[in-house]
Amino acid sequence: MRWITDDAGRRWSAERVGRTSGIVSTKGKAASFPEPADIVRFACASDPGEPPREVTTRAGLLEQFTESELKALLNVAPRA
């Protein structure tokens, strides 16, 4: 889990809650096959009335994202 602060000063937790399966090609990488993606949920700790938000992103460790990348994901994530 990671913590970020949005532009309005609210504190959000970012947590990977799942992964899409994608399709793994055994014959190398083909453009028509989707890759697995992580599902990241954002929850506002400073405003419990704010609904959680979820978005899919490239698969990997949450620690690999910069704070600005996490903020960008939060800004495009629809409310769950």
Side-chain angles (χ1 to χ4, degrees), residues 32-72:
S32 62
F33 291 110
E35 294 183 9
D38 284 346
I39 302 167
V40 177
R41 178 178 294 145
F42 294 94
C44 188
S46 59
D47 183 1
E50 183 71 37
R53 301 177 187 189
E54 288 186 359
V55 67
T56 57
T57 186
R58 70 181 188 268
L61 296 174
L62 212 51
E63 290 78 18
Q64 294 174 330
F65 290 95
T66 65
E67 186 168 343
S68 60
E69 288 173 323
L70 286 173
K71 282 183 183 181

Side-chain angles (χ1 to χ4, degrees), residues 20-25 28-37 59:
T20 64
S21 63
I23 299 172
V24 179
S25 171
K29 190 169 181 156
S32 62
F33 291 110
E35 294 183 9

